[in-house]
Amino acid sequence: MNEFVLGIETSCDDTAAAVVDSKGNVLSSVVSSQLEIHKAFGGVYPEFAARAHITAILPTIHEALLRANIQASQLKAIGVTRGPGLISSVLVGLNTAVGLGLGWNKPVIGINHLRGHLRSADLEMQRVQYPAMILLVSGGHTFLAYMESTVDIVLLGSTRDDSVGESYDKVGRMLGLGYPGGPAVDKLAVQGKPTIKFPRPLLKNGLEFSFSGLKSSVARYLDSVKELVYEDIAASFVQAVLDVLITKSKLALKEKPVKSFAIVGGVAASPQLREAAAKLCRNLKVDLCLPPLRWSTDNAAMIALATFDYLNLGIYKEPLPELQLSISDF
Ligand code: KG4
Ligand code: ZN
């Protein structure tokens, strides 16, 4: 029997709600963006993010149910991001979900945002074959994970400091490209040449990442060099990021052979990264899964899909509006 889950995601600056069925079909996915609010600050302003979530959350959920043509009574459960994220933002989604769960007498399941990203490549259709390697590159995180199945996840290495998205955004700001910096830096990079030798932190050093040194090195270059060619700076930064991401991915794929390699999270939207990953996977003869861009960036459909993992495992059986906060993240 087909079942439906309402997903709710408010971990950062997007208010999102979605309805997904037990086969992974997305009946609706609504994202209310706060980009215009935060643009002026060059990054997410947490207080304004939380206030905007409060305004948008109920209309967004209402819209998701309407578009899916699903009544609350038909829902199997509500899945909601329980972190990590900006806590004032997370709380808006979490409290709304608990309130709705009480009112509708539906179970509420707290989902780790990263688990949502890890499952995003299987939205709409089963793209990932397991065991799989997943590179998660978002504004908040960067890591490589080995997934034996949809629920057996081993973290192989993550960033010691900045995430790759954060360094994209900071470099974007340094180059006067506004927020978010990722897409703008990529666009500018295409017009330049990677002539500047920025560092490739921890390149030959296991599967951990570090991006803060790269970001600082771009800042120092901007301060110290007189004749600046912004296009070349962007191209050199992107090349350094690609070298690190591709080298580490290659190492991980050689250490642990898999059927699929998926790249998820906002930076997976980078055309340069997509191209480099395609080349790597051709060489290694691994199936590359790049979910459509709408599933790369934050959305609630991935949270709803991850909720089914919990339901299928029978981790949550009782129809009580209670949060499962004791389940470990991975
Ligand atoms: O996954 P996401 O939407 O939110 C988090 O969970 O963090 O990722 C947002 C990040 C931002 O840092 C943004 O600059 C980056 O994804 N991003 C990109 C591109 N599009 C978005 N980075 C590089 N190239 C892009 N085309
Ligand atoms: Zn995210």
Side-chain angles (χ1 to χ4, degrees), residues 113 117 138-140 165-166 168-169 180-183 186 265-267 269-271 296-298:
H113 179 78
H117 272 303
S138 74
E166 199 177 341
Y168 254 108
D169 291 338
D186 273 346
V267 183
S270 162
S296 296
T297 47
D298 285 351

Side-chain angles (χ1 to χ4, degrees), residues 39-62:
K39 247 183 186 166
F41 304 101
V44 179
Y45 194 118
E47 167 86 16
F48 287 165
R51 287 172 187 273
H53 283 310
I54 291 169
T55 312
I57 187 82
L58 286 175
T60 305
I61 292 170
H62 184 63

Side-chain angles (χ1 to χ4, degrees), residues 208-229:
E208 290 201 326
F209 299 87
S210 165
F211 289 103
S212 71
L214 171 58
K215 171 195 70 190
S216 312
S217 156
V218 175
R220 275 196 303 278
Y221 184 87
L222 284 165
D223 281 346
S224 59
V225 175
K226 284 218 172 72
E227 304 226 332
L228 296 168
V229 182

Side-chain angles (χ1 to χ4, degrees), residues 15-84:
T15 314
V19 177
V20 172
D21 74 10
S22 40
K23 296 183 186 107
N25 296 314
V26 182
L27 280 76
S28 66
S29 175
V30 183
V31 181
S32 165
S33 170
Q34 301 179 5
L35 218 57
E36 287 308 315
I37 297 172
H38 302 293
K39 247 183 186 166
F41 304 101
V44 179
Y45 194 118
E47 167 86 16
F48 287 165
R51 287 172 187 273
H53 283 310
I54 291 169
T55 312
I57 187 82
L58 286 175
T60 305
I61 292 170
H62 184 63
E63 184 67 23
L65 290 172
L66 268 184
R67 285 192 202 172
N69 197 20
I70 288 287
Q71 307 289 319
S73 58
Q74 293 171 266
L75 295 172
K76 175 81 178 163
I78 301 170
V80 59
T81 300
R82 63 169 166 85

Side-chain angles (χ1 to χ4, degrees), residues 77-81 107-111 303 307 310-311 316 322-324 327:
I78 301 170
V80 59
T81 300
V108 178
I109 303 180
I111 300 292
I303 301 301
T307 306
Y310 282 61
L311 293 170
Y316 196 97
E322 185 185 295
L323 287 171
Q324 294 287 319
I327 301 160

